[in-house]
Coordinates of all heavy atoms in Angstrom, one line a residue:
M1 N -25.7 55.8 -4.2 CA -24.6 54.9 -4.5 C -23.8 54.5 -3.3 O -23.4 53.4 -3.2 CB -23.7 55.8 -5.4 CG -22.5 55.1 -5.9 SD -23.0 53.8 -7.0 CE -21.5 53.2 -7.6
R2 N -23.7 55.4 -2.3 CA -23.0 55.0 -1.1 C -23.7 53.9 -0.3 O -23.1 53.0 0.2 CB -22.9 56.3 -0.2 CG -22.1 56.0 1.0 CD -21.7 57.2 1.7 NE -20.5 57.0 2.5 CZ -19.7 57.9 2.9 NH1 -19.9 59.1 2.5 NH2 -18.6 57.6 3.5
T3 N -25.1 54.0 -0.3 CA -25.9 52.9 0.4 C -25.6 51.6 -0.4 O -25.6 50.5 0.3 CB -27.4 53.3 0.3 OG1 -27.5 54.6 0.9 CG2 -28.2 52.3 1.2
F4 N -25.6 51.6 -1.7 CA -25.4 50.4 -2.4 C -24.0 49.8 -2.1 O -24.0 48.5 -1.9 CB -25.6 50.7 -3.9 CG -25.4 49.5 -4.8 CD1 -26.3 48.5 -4.8 CD2 -24.2 49.3 -5.6 CE1 -26.2 47.4 -5.7 CE2 -24.1 48.2 -6.3 CZ -25.1 47.3 -6.4
A5 N -23.0 50.6 -2.0 CA -21.7 50.1 -1.7 C -21.6 49.5 -0.3 O -21.0 48.5 -0.1 CB -20.6 51.2 -1.9
T6 N -22.3 50.1 0.6 CA -22.3 49.7 2.0 C -23.1 48.4 2.1 O -22.6 47.4 2.8 CB -23.0 50.7 2.9 OG1 -22.4 52.0 2.8 CG2 -23.0 50.2 4.4
T7 N -24.1 48.2 1.3 CA -24.9 47.0 1.3 C -24.1 45.8 0.8 O -24.1 44.7 1.3 CB -26.2 47.1 0.5 OG1 -27.0 48.2 1.0 CG2 -27.0 45.9 0.5
I8 N -23.4 46.1 -0.3 CA -22.5 45.1 -0.9 C -21.4 44.6 0.0 O -21.1 43.5 0.2 CB -21.9 45.6 -2.3 CG1 -23.0 45.8 -3.3 CG2 -20.9 44.6 -2.8 CD1 -23.8 44.6 -3.8
A9 N -20.8 45.6 0.7 CA -19.7 45.4 1.6 C -20.3 44.5 2.8 O -19.6 43.5 3.2 CB -19.1 46.7 2.2
L10 N -21.4 44.8 3.3 CA -22.0 44.0 4.4 C -22.3 42.6 4.0 O -22.2 41.6 4.7 CB -23.3 44.7 4.9 CG -23.0 46.0 5.8 CD1 -24.3 46.6 6.2 CD2 -22.2 45.6 7.0
L11 N -22.8 42.5 2.7 CA -23.1 41.1 2.2 C -21.9 40.3 2.0 O -21.8 39.1 2.3 CB -23.8 41.2 0.9 CG -25.3 41.6 0.9 CD1 -25.9 41.8 -0.5 CD2 -26.1 40.6 1.7
L12 N -20.8 40.9 1.6 CA -19.5 40.2 1.4 C -19.0 39.8 2.8 O -18.4 38.8 3.0 CB -18.5 41.0 0.6 CG -18.8 41.3 -0.9 CD1 -17.8 42.2 -1.5 CD2 -18.8 39.9 -1.5
L13 N -19.1 40.8 3.8 CA -18.6 40.4 5.1 C -19.4 39.3 5.7 O -18.8 38.4 6.3 CB -18.7 41.7 6.0 CG -18.2 41.5 7.4 CD1 -16.8 41.1 7.5 CD2 -18.6 42.8 8.2
A14 N -20.7 39.3 5.5 CA -21.6 38.2 6.1 C -21.3 36.9 5.4 O -21.2 35.9 6.0 CB -23.1 38.6 5.9
G15 N -21.0 36.9 4.1 CA -20.6 35.7 3.4 C -19.3 35.2 3.8 O -19.1 33.9 4.0
A16 N -18.3 36.0 4.2 CA -17.0 35.6 4.5 C -17.1 35.0 6.0 O -16.2 34.1 6.3 CB -16.0 36.8 4.5
C17 N -17.9 35.5 6.8 CA -18.0 35.0 8.2 C -19.0 33.9 8.4 O -19.1 33.4 9.5 CB -18.5 36.2 9.1 SG -17.3 37.5 9.2
G18 N -19.6 33.5 7.4 CA -20.6 32.4 7.5 C -19.9 31.1 7.7 O -18.7 30.9 7.6
T19 N -20.6 30.1 8.2 CA -20.0 28.8 8.5 C -19.6 28.1 7.2 O -20.4 28.1 6.2 CB -21.1 27.9 9.3 OG1 -22.2 27.7 8.5 CG2 -21.4 28.5 10.6
P20 N -18.5 27.4 7.2 CA -18.1 26.6 6.0 C -19.0 25.4 5.8 O -19.6 24.9 6.8 CB -16.7 26.2 6.3 CG -16.6 26.2 7.8 CD -17.6 27.3 8.3
Q21 N -19.0 25.0 4.6 CA -19.8 23.7 4.3 C -19.1 22.6 4.9 O -17.8 22.4 4.8 CB -19.9 23.6 2.7 CG -20.7 24.6 2.0 CD -22.1 24.4 2.2 OE1 -22.6 23.3 2.5 NE2 -22.9 25.5 2.2
R22 N -19.8 21.7 5.5 CA -19.3 20.5 6.1 C -19.2 19.4 5.1 O -20.1 19.1 4.3 CB -20.1 20.0 7.3 CG -20.1 20.9 8.5 CD -20.7 20.3 9.6 NE -20.8 21.2 10.7 CZ -21.2 20.9 11.9 NH1 -21.6 19.7 12.1 NH2 -21.2 21.8 12.9
R23 N -18.0 18.7 5.0 CA -17.9 17.6 4.2 C -18.3 16.4 4.9 O -18.1 16.2 6.1 CB -16.4 17.4 3.8 CG -15.9 18.4 2.9 CD -14.4 18.1 2.4 NE -13.5 18.9 3.2 CZ -12.3 18.7 3.5 NH1 -11.7 17.6 3.0 NH2 -11.5 19.5 4.2
P24 N -19.0 15.5 4.1 CA -19.5 14.2 4.8 C -18.3 13.4 5.2 O -17.3 13.3 4.5 CB -20.3 13.5 3.7 CG -19.9 14.2 2.4 CD -19.4 15.6 2.8
V25 N -18.5 12.7 6.3 CA -17.4 11.8 6.8 C -17.4 10.6 6.0 O -18.4 9.9 5.8 CB -17.6 11.5 8.3 CG1 -16.6 10.5 8.8 CG2 -17.6 12.8 9.1
E26 N -16.2 10.3 5.5 CA -16.1 9.0 4.6 C -15.5 8.0 5.5 O -14.4 8.1 5.9 CB -15.3 9.3 3.4 CG -15.9 10.3 2.5 CD -15.0 10.6 1.3 OE1 -14.0 9.8 1.1 OE2 -15.2 11.6 0.6
V27 N -16.2 6.9 5.7 CA -15.7 5.8 6.6 C -15.6 4.5 5.7 O -16.6 4.2 5.0 CB -16.7 5.5 7.7 CG1 -16.2 4.4 8.5 CG2 -16.9 6.7 8.6
E28 N -14.5 4.0 5.6 CA -14.3 2.8 4.8 C -14.7 1.6 5.6 O -14.7 1.6 6.8 CB -12.8 2.7 4.4 CG -12.4 3.8 3.5 CD -10.9 3.6 3.0 OE1 -10.5 2.5 3.0 OE2 -10.4 4.6 2.5
D29 N -15.0 0.5 4.9 CA -15.5 -0.7 5.5 C -14.6 -1.3 6.6 O -15.0 -1.8 7.6 CB -15.8 -1.8 4.5 CG -17.0 -1.4 3.6 OD1 -17.8 -0.6 4.0 OD2 -17.1 -2.0 2.4
D30 N -13.3 -1.2 6.3 CA -12.3 -1.8 7.3 C -12.2 -0.9 8.6 O -11.7 -1.4 9.5 CB -11.0 -2.1 6.7 CG -10.3 -0.7 6.1 OD1 -11.1 0.3 6.0 OD2 -9.1 -0.8 5.9
Q31 N -12.7 0.3 8.5 CA -12.7 1.1 9.7 C -13.9 1.0 10.6 O -13.9 1.4 11.8 CB -12.6 2.6 9.3 CG -11.2 2.9 8.6 CD -11.2 4.4 8.1 OE1 -12.3 5.0 8.0 NE2 -10.0 4.9 7.9
L32 N -14.9 0.3 10.1 CA -16.1 0.1 10.9 C -15.8 -0.9 12.0 O -15.2 -2.0 11.8 CB -17.2 -0.4 10.0 CG -17.7 0.6 9.0 CD1 -18.8 -0.1 8.2 CD2 -18.3 1.9 9.6
E33 N -16.4 -0.6 13.2 CA -16.2 -1.5 14.3 C -17.4 -2.5 14.4 O -18.5 -2.0 14.1 CB -16.1 -0.8 15.6 CG -14.9 0.1 15.7 CD -14.7 0.8 17.0 OE1 -15.4 0.3 18.0 OE2 -14.0 1.8 17.1
S34 N -17.1 -3.7 14.6 CA -18.2 -4.7 14.7 C -19.0 -4.5 16.0 O -18.4 -3.8 17.0 CB -17.7 -6.1 14.5 OG -16.9 -6.4 15.7
E35 N -20.1 -5.0 16.1 CA -20.9 -4.9 17.4 C -20.4 -5.8 18.5 O -20.7 -5.6 19.6 CB -22.3 -5.2 17.1 CG -22.9 -4.0 16.2 CD -24.5 -4.2 16.1 OE1 -25.0 -4.9 17.0 OE2 -25.0 -3.7 15.2
T36 N -19.6 -6.8 18.1 CA -19.1 -7.7 19.1 C -17.5 -7.6 19.2 O -16.9 -7.1 18.3 CB -19.5 -9.2 18.8 OG1 -18.9 -9.6 17.5 CG2 -21.0 -9.4 18.7
C37 N -17.0 -8.1 20.3 CA -15.6 -8.0 20.5 C -15.2 -9.1 21.5 O -16.1 -9.7 22.2 CB -15.1 -6.7 21.0 SG -15.6 -6.3 22.7
C38 N -13.9 -9.4 21.6 CA -13.4 -10.3 22.7 C -13.3 -9.5 23.9 O -12.4 -8.6 24.0 CB -12.1 -10.9 22.2 SG -11.5 -12.0 23.4
C39 N -14.1 -9.7 24.9 CA -14.1 -8.8 26.1 C -13.3 -9.5 27.2 O -13.5 -10.6 27.5 CB -15.6 -8.7 26.6 SG -15.8 -7.6 28.0
R40 N -12.4 -8.7 27.7 CA -11.6 -9.2 28.9 C -12.2 -8.5 30.1 O -12.1 -7.3 30.2 CB -10.2 -8.9 28.8 CG -9.3 -9.3 30.0 CD -7.9 -9.0 29.8 NE -7.8 -7.5 30.0 CZ -6.6 -6.9 30.0 NH1 -5.5 -7.5 29.7 NH2 -6.6 -5.6 30.2
W41 N -12.7 -9.3 31.0 CA -13.3 -8.7 32.2 C -13.0 -9.6 33.4 O -12.8 -10.8 33.2 CB -14.8 -8.5 32.1 CG -15.6 -9.7 31.8 CD1 -15.6 -10.5 30.7 CD2 -16.5 -10.4 32.7 NE1 -16.5 -11.5 30.8 CE2 -17.0 -11.5 32.0 CE3 -16.9 -10.2 34.0 CZ2 -17.9 -12.4 32.6 CZ3 -17.8 -11.0 34.6 CH2 -18.3 -12.1 33.9
T42 N -13.0 -9.1 34.6 CA -12.7 -9.9 35.8 C -14.1 -10.0 36.6 O -14.5 -9.0 37.1 CB -11.7 -9.2 36.7 OG1 -10.5 -9.0 35.9 CG2 -11.3 -10.1 37.9
P43 N -14.6 -11.2 36.6 CA -15.8 -11.5 37.4 C -15.6 -11.3 38.9 O -14.4 -11.5 39.4 CB -16.2 -12.9 37.1 CG -15.3 -13.3 36.0 CD -14.2 -12.4 35.9
I44 N -16.6 -10.9 39.6 CA -16.5 -10.8 41.1 C -16.2 -12.3 41.6 O -16.9 -13.2 41.2 CB -17.8 -10.2 41.6 CG1 -18.0 -8.8 41.1 CG2 -17.8 -10.3 43.1 CD1 -19.3 -8.2 41.5
G45 N -15.3 -12.4 42.5 CA -15.0 -13.7 43.1 C -14.1 -14.5 42.1 O -14.1 -15.7 42.3
A46 N -13.5 -14.0 41.2 CA -12.7 -14.7 40.2 C -11.4 -15.3 41.0 O -10.9 -14.6 41.9 CB -12.2 -13.9 39.0
D47 N -11.1 -16.5 40.6 CA -9.9 -17.1 41.3 C -8.6 -16.3 41.0 O -8.2 -16.2 39.9 CB -9.8 -18.5 40.7 CG -8.7 -19.3 41.5 OD1 -8.5 -19.1 42.7 OD2 -8.1 -20.2 40.8
K48 N -8.1 -15.8 42.0 CA -6.8 -15.0 42.0 C -6.9 -13.8 41.0 O -6.0 -13.4 40.5 CB -5.6 -15.9 41.6 CG -5.4 -17.0 42.5 CD -4.2 -17.7 42.1 CE -3.9 -18.9 43.0 NZ -2.8 -19.7 42.7
G49 N -8.1 -13.3 40.9 CA -8.3 -12.1 40.0 C -8.1 -12.4 38.5 O -7.8 -11.5 37.7
R50 N -8.2 -13.7 38.1 CA -8.0 -14.1 36.8 C -9.1 -13.6 35.8 O -10.3 -13.8 36.1 CB -7.9 -15.6 36.6 CG -7.5 -16.1 35.3 CD -7.5 -17.6 35.2 NE -6.4 -18.0 36.1 CZ -6.1 -19.3 36.3 NH1 -6.8 -20.2 35.7 NH2 -5.1 -19.6 37.0
P51 N -8.7 -12.9 34.8 CA -9.8 -12.3 33.9 C -10.4 -13.4 33.0 O -9.8 -14.4 32.7 CB -9.0 -11.3 33.0 CG -7.6 -11.8 33.0 CD -7.4 -12.5 34.4
S52 N -11.6 -13.1 32.6 CA -12.4 -14.0 31.7 C -12.4 -13.3 30.3 O -12.4 -12.1 30.2 CB -13.8 -14.2 32.1 OG -13.8 -15.0 33.3
Y53 N -12.3 -14.1 29.3 CA -12.3 -13.7 27.9 C -13.6 -14.2 27.2 O -13.7 -15.5 27.3 CB -11.1 -14.1 27.1 CG -9.8 -13.5 27.6 CD1 -9.1 -14.0 28.7 CD2 -9.3 -12.3 27.0 CE1 -8.0 -13.4 29.2 CE2 -8.1 -11.8 27.5 CZ -7.5 -12.3 28.6 OH -6.4 -11.7 29.1
E54 N -14.4 -13.4 26.7 CA -15.6 -13.9 26.1 C -16.0 -13.0 24.9 O -15.8 -11.8 25.0 CB -16.7 -13.8 27.2 CG -18.0 -14.3 26.8 CD -19.1 -14.3 28.0 OE1 -18.7 -13.8 29.0 OE2 -20.2 -14.7 27.8
E55 N -16.5 -13.7 23.8 CA -17.0 -12.9 22.7 C -18.4 -12.4 22.9 O -19.3 -13.3 22.9 CB -16.9 -13.9 21.5 CG -17.3 -13.2 20.2 CD -16.1 -12.4 19.5 OE1 -15.0 -12.7 19.9 OE2 -16.4 -11.5 18.8
I56 N -18.6 -11.2 23.2 CA -19.9 -10.6 23.5 C -20.1 -9.2 22.8 O -19.1 -8.7 22.3 CB -20.1 -10.5 25.1 CG1 -19.0 -9.6 25.7 CG2 -20.1 -11.8 25.7 CD1 -19.2 -9.3 27.1
N57 N -21.2 -8.7 23.0 CA -21.6 -7.4 22.5 C -20.8 -6.3 23.2 O -20.5 -6.4 24.4 CB -23.1 -7.2 22.7 CG -23.6 -5.9 22.0 OD1 -23.2 -4.8 22.5 ND2 -24.4 -6.0 21.1
R58 N -20.3 -5.3 22.4 CA -19.5 -4.2 23.0 C -20.2 -3.5 24.2 O -19.6 -3.2 25.1 CB -19.2 -3.2 21.9 CG -18.2 -3.7 20.9 CD -17.8 -2.6 19.9 NE -16.8 -3.1 19.0 CZ -15.5 -3.1 19.2 NH1 -15.0 -2.6 20.3 NH2 -14.7 -3.6 18.3
M59 N -21.5 -3.3 24.1 CA -22.2 -2.6 25.1 C -22.2 -3.5 26.4 O -22.1 -3.0 27.5 CB -23.6 -2.3 24.7 CG -23.7 -1.2 23.6 SD -22.9 0.3 24.2 CE -24.1 0.9 25.4
E60 N -22.4 -4.8 26.2 CA -22.4 -5.7 27.4 C -21.0 -5.8 28.0 O -20.9 -5.8 29.2 CB -22.8 -7.1 26.9 CG -23.1 -8.1 28.1 CD -23.6 -9.4 27.7 OE1 -24.2 -9.5 26.5 OE2 -23.4 -10.3 28.4
C61 N -19.9 -5.7 27.2 CA -18.5 -5.7 27.7 C -18.4 -4.4 28.5 O -17.8 -4.4 29.6 CB -17.6 -5.7 26.6 SG -15.9 -5.7 27.1
S62 N -18.9 -3.3 28.0 CA -18.8 -2.0 28.7 C -19.5 -2.0 30.0 O -19.1 -1.5 31.1 CB -19.3 -0.8 27.8 OG -19.2 0.3 28.5
E63 N -20.7 -2.7 30.0 CA -21.5 -2.8 31.3 C -20.7 -3.6 32.4 O -20.9 -3.4 33.5 CB -22.9 -3.5 31.0 CG -23.8 -2.6 30.3 CD -25.1 -3.3 29.9 OE1 -25.2 -4.6 30.1 OE2 -25.9 -2.7 29.1
R64 N -20.0 -4.6 31.9 CA -19.1 -5.4 32.8 C -17.8 -4.8 33.2 O -17.1 -5.3 33.9 CB -18.9 -6.8 32.2 CG -20.1 -7.6 31.9 CD -19.7 -8.9 31.3 NE -20.9 -9.7 31.0 CZ -20.8 -11.0 30.6 NH1 -19.7 -11.5 30.3 NH2 -21.9 -11.6 30.3
Q65 N -17.7 -3.5 32.7 CA -16.4 -2.8 32.9 C -15.2 -3.5 32.4 O -14.2 -3.6 33.0 CB -16.3 -2.4 34.4 CG -17.4 -1.5 34.9 CD -17.3 -1.1 36.3 OE1 -16.5 -1.6 37.0 NE2 -18.2 -0.2 36.8
G66 N -15.4 -4.1 31.2 CA -14.4 -4.9 30.6 C -13.7 -4.1 29.5 O -14.0 -2.9 29.4
E67 N -12.8 -4.7 28.8 CA -12.0 -4.1 27.8 C -12.0 -4.9 26.5 O -11.7 -6.2 26.6 CB -10.5 -3.9 28.3 CG -9.6 -3.2 27.3 CD -8.2 -3.1 27.9 OE1 -8.0 -3.5 29.0 OE2 -7.4 -2.6 27.1
C68 N -12.3 -4.4 25.4 CA -12.3 -5.1 24.1 C -10.9 -5.4 23.7 O -10.1 -4.5 23.7 CB -13.1 -4.3 23.0 SG -14.9 -4.5 23.3
M69 N -10.6 -6.6 23.4 CA -9.2 -7.1 23.0 C -9.2 -7.6 21.6 O -10.3 -7.7 21.0 CB -8.8 -8.1 24.0 CG -8.9 -7.8 25.5 SD -7.8 -6.5 26.0 CE -6.2 -7.2 25.7
A70 N -8.1 -8.0 21.2 CA -8.0 -8.6 19.9 C -8.7 -10.0 19.8 O -8.8 -10.6 20.9 CB -6.5 -8.9 19.5
A71 N -9.3 -10.4 18.7 CA -10.1 -11.6 18.6 C -9.2 -12.8 18.9 O -9.8 -13.8 19.4 CB -10.7 -11.7 17.2
S72 N -7.9 -12.8 18.8 CA -7.0 -13.9 19.1 C -7.1 -14.3 20.5 O -6.8 -15.4 20.8 CB -5.6 -13.6 18.6 OG -5.1 -12.5 19.3
N73 N -7.4 -13.3 21.4 CA -7.4 -13.7 22.8 C -8.6 -14.6 23.1 O -8.5 -15.5 24.0 CB -7.6 -12.4 23.6 CG -6.4 -11.6 23.7 OD1 -5.3 -12.1 23.5 ND2 -6.5 -10.3 23.9
C74 N -9.7 -14.5 22.4 CA -10.9 -15.4 22.6 C -10.6 -16.7 22.0 O -11.2 -17.7 22.5 CB -12.1 -14.7 22.1 SG -12.8 -13.5 23.1
A75 N -9.8 -16.8 21.0 CA -9.6 -18.1 20.3 C -9.0 -19.1 21.2 O -9.2 -20.3 21.2 CB -8.7 -17.9 19.1
G76 N -8.1 -18.7 22.1 CA -7.4 -19.7 23.0 C -8.2 -20.0 24.2 O -7.8 -20.8 25.1
D77 N -9.4 -19.3 24.5 CA -10.2 -19.6 25.7 C -9.4 -19.5 26.9 O -9.3 -20.4 27.7 CB -10.9 -20.9 25.6 CG -12.1 -21.0 26.6 OD1 -12.6 -20.0 26.9 OD2 -12.3 -22.1 27.1
Q78 N -8.7 -18.3 27.1 CA -7.8 -18.1 28.2 C -8.5 -18.0 29.6 O -7.8 -18.0 30.6 CB -7.0 -16.8 28.0 CG -6.1 -17.0 26.7 CD -5.5 -15.7 26.4 OE1 -5.7 -14.6 27.1 NE2 -4.6 -15.7 25.4
G79 N -9.7 -17.9 29.6 CA -10.5 -17.8 30.9 C -11.9 -18.4 30.7 O -12.1 -18.9 29.6
S80 N -12.6 -18.4 31.7 CA -14.0 -19.0 31.6 C -15.0 -17.9 32.0 O -14.7 -17.1 33.0 CB -14.1 -20.2 32.4 OG -13.9 -20.0 33.8
A81 N -16.1 -17.8 31.5 CA -17.2 -16.9 31.9 C -18.0 -17.6 32.9 O -18.0 -18.8 33.2 CB -18.0 -16.5 30.6
L82 N -18.7 -16.7 33.7 CA -19.6 -17.2 34.7 C -20.8 -17.9 34.2 O -21.3 -17.8 33.2 CB -20.0 -16.1 35.7 CG -18.9 -15.5 36.6 CD1 -19.5 -14.3 37.4 CD2 -18.4 -16.6 37.5

């Protein structure tokens, strides 16, 4: 009887210390980031360090060490790409 009680206690302890069930991450459509963005980057040799704004892939913007901005920045064509 004592062995049975010990076994039950160990099972309860193991169950209490187990990892909790993970809930799936729910992402709504408006939270998804698009693959493109309005990238602000400064080309080498830019006139007075003026940044360029260009609608490009996020990874390409990162490679240029740029920063993704609001899409309205690209609409005005505030700079020119190389």
Side-chain angles (χ1 to χ4, degrees):
M1 182 69 176
R2 184 173 207 152
T3 308
F4 181 72
T6 304
T7 303
I8 295 296
L10 288 175
L11 286 174
L12 289 174
L13 180 64
C17 295
T19 59
Q21 294 283 336
R22 292 187 182 187
R23 286 187 261 159
V25 177
E26 296 178 15
V27 178
E28 295 185 20
D29 290 338
D30 60 341
Q31 293 176 340
L32 295 175
E33 294 184 20
S34 65
E35 290 187 23
T36 60
C37 70
C38 180
C39 183
R40 179 180 73 180
W41 61 288
T42 306
I44 297 174
D47 185 33
K48 298 181 183 178
R50 184 179 297 179
S52 290
Y53 295 83
E54 187 177 359
E55 185 80 24
I56 58 175
N57 186 294
R58 287 184 180 274
M59 292 300 292
E60 189 175 339
C61 183
S62 179
E63 289 172 3
R64 295 181 184 185
Q65 297 178 353
E67 180 181 359
C68 284
M69 307 297 291
S72 60
N73 289 333
C74 281
D77 193 32
Q78 297 173 355
S80 60
L82 290 175

